[in-house]
Amino acid sequence: MSSESDAFDDIGPVDYLVVEYPGGRPTGEALPYLVDLVDRGLIRILDLVFVRKGEDGSVAAVDIVDLSRDMDTGLTAFEGATSGLLGQDDIEEAGQAIGAGSTAAILMYENRWAAPFARALRRNGARLVAVGRIPVQDLVAALDAVEADVEAGAEVEAEGRAETGAGTGS
C-alpha cells in the first residue's frame, strides 16, 4: 500500500504559463507541438483554461468549444483537460496580466521528464528554494550585450597592441 508521500515522490515539477493572444484568439498553430510533448511523455497537462478580457476590463473563462466555433483550431482535443487546480482566482489574476480585448491560455503542466531527477533530489533531502524563467527576448538581449562587450574588448586590445608596437620601433 503506497502512502501519500510515495505518490508525491513520482510527480515532476509543475509549472504554469499564461499566453496572451492580443486582440484575438488562438489559431491552434502551436497545438501540435503541445500534443507532441504530451505524446512523448515529457509533460502532462493538468489544466488548460482560456480567459477573455473584455474591452470594459471584465474577465471570464471561455469554453474551448466557443474558441473553435469559427475555425478548426484543434483546441477541442483539449476539451476537459482539467484537474480543477485552476480556479476563479487564477482566472482573475491572468486577466489582470492581459490587455483588454485579448484572450489568454492558462496552461498548468507537470514536467514528467524531470520526475526521476526531482525524486532523487527529494530522497536526498534537497528542497527547491528558487525558480525562475528568463524570457527569450531578455536572453537574446543579454547575449547581444556580451557579444558587443567582447567585440569592444577585442578592439581595445588590438589598439593597445598597435600603440605598443608603434612605440617600440618594430
Side-chain angles (χ1 to χ4, degrees):
M1 186 164 157
S2 70
S3 70
E4 187 175 312
S5 65
D6 291 339
F8 173 74
D9 236 13
D10 290 332
I11 296 175
V14 174
D15 287 327
Y16 76 92
L17 53 89
V18 178
V19 179
E20 179 181 18
Y21 299 90
R25 61 173 74 189
T27 63
E29 182 180 347
L31 286 178
Y33 299 102
L34 184 59
V35 169
D36 182 57
L37 293 171
V38 172
D39 288 348
R40 291 191 292 146
L42 298 175
I43 68 167
R44 175 174 57 138
I45 296 175
L46 301 174
D47 277 308
L48 177 60
V49 176
F50 288 88
V51 176
R52 184 169 290 140
K53 185 171 189 175
E55 294 296 338
D56 64 355
S58 62
V59 177
V62 179
D63 192 83
I64 288 176
V65 173
D66 291 338
L67 285 173
S68 299
R69 197 169 305 245
D70 298 333
M71 66 175 124
D72 181 21
T73 60
L75 290 172
T76 54
F78 293 100
E79 189 174 9
T82 182
S83 65
L85 292 171
L86 290 176
Q88 188 60 38
D89 290 346
D90 301 304
I91 291 169
E92 293 293 330
E93 189 174 336
Q96 297 304 312
I98 65 173
S102 294
T103 300
I106 309 170
L107 176 65
M108 181 184 293
Y109 58 97
E110 174 193 0
N111 291 287
R112 296 186 62 80
W113 60 269
F117 175 66
R119 183 174 36 252
L121 290 173
R122 287 190 290 265
R123 273 197 307 258
N124 287 307
R127 61 188 183 97
L128 182 64
V129 295
V131 68
R133 179 150 289 137
I134 301 169
V136 172
Q137 300 89 331
D138 293 349
L139 179 64
V140 170
L143 289 171
D144 288 346
V146 168
E147 185 177 327
D149 287 347
V150 168
E151 288 174 3
E155 287 177 15
V156 168
E157 187 178 314
E159 288 173 6
R161 281 192 304 252
E163 289 174 10
T164 305
T168 61
S170 320

